[in-house]
Amino acid sequence: MSKQWAGHHAQRILALLWRNAPHVCSICHEPITAGPGARLRDGSRDPMRASVDHTLARSRGGSDHLGNLRLAHLSCNAAKGARTTEPAPVVDGRHWFGVDTTPTPRH
């Protein structure tokens, strides 16, 4: 694992997650509507754009494996820092924020 989370490696993983994961922030559970690289009119980075969140922070021994990565708003991810987040509580097969977690039968 490299010491720095940046550059082409991070961009490729963010693009992979953006293409394949639900566009919902893993921290605040609100929709992510600004894709990777989104900028505001003044040229600054959009704080609500997609970023990669490490479930278990790298500084706490977390890895860059896809199982430890998920999408989050840039601002939520920055505010979270190296803290861990617990999964949202599940009630009747649904997360509290309304995402169905019931397995879909495969045919």
Side-chain angles (χ1 to χ4, degrees):
M1 176 169 49
S2 67
K3 293 183 187 254
Q4 185 178 10
W5 175 255
H8 294 292
H9 174 71
Q11 290 173 2
R12 284 193 304 268
I13 290 190
L14 178 55
L16 176 70
L17 287 172
W18 184 251
R19 283 192 308 271
N20 295 293
H23 295 176
V24 175
C25 178
S26 60
I27 299 169
C28 75
H29 312 294
E30 294 294 325
I32 300 173
T33 57
R39 300 240 174 218
L40 299 176
R41 290 183 185 175
D42 66 2
S44 63
R45 296 188 306 176
D46 185 339
M48 300 306 283
R49 78 180 200 178
S51 71
V52 176
D53 174 43
H54 288 77
T55 305
L56 178 60
R58 292 166 38 109
S59 63
R60 295 178 177 241
S63 71
D64 292 342
H65 291 269
L66 288 177
N68 190 46
L69 304 176
R70 57 203 180 154
L71 288 174
H73 292 118
L74 182 63
S75 59
C76 293
N77 199 357
K80 175 188 158 227
R83 292 185 299 270
T84 59
T85 55
E86 297 298 321
V90 177
V91 179
D92 296 327
R94 297 173 80 74
H95 282 288
W96 65 271
F97 55 91
V99 175
D100 191 353
T101 59
T102 307
T104 305
R106 296 190 182 227
H107 301 291

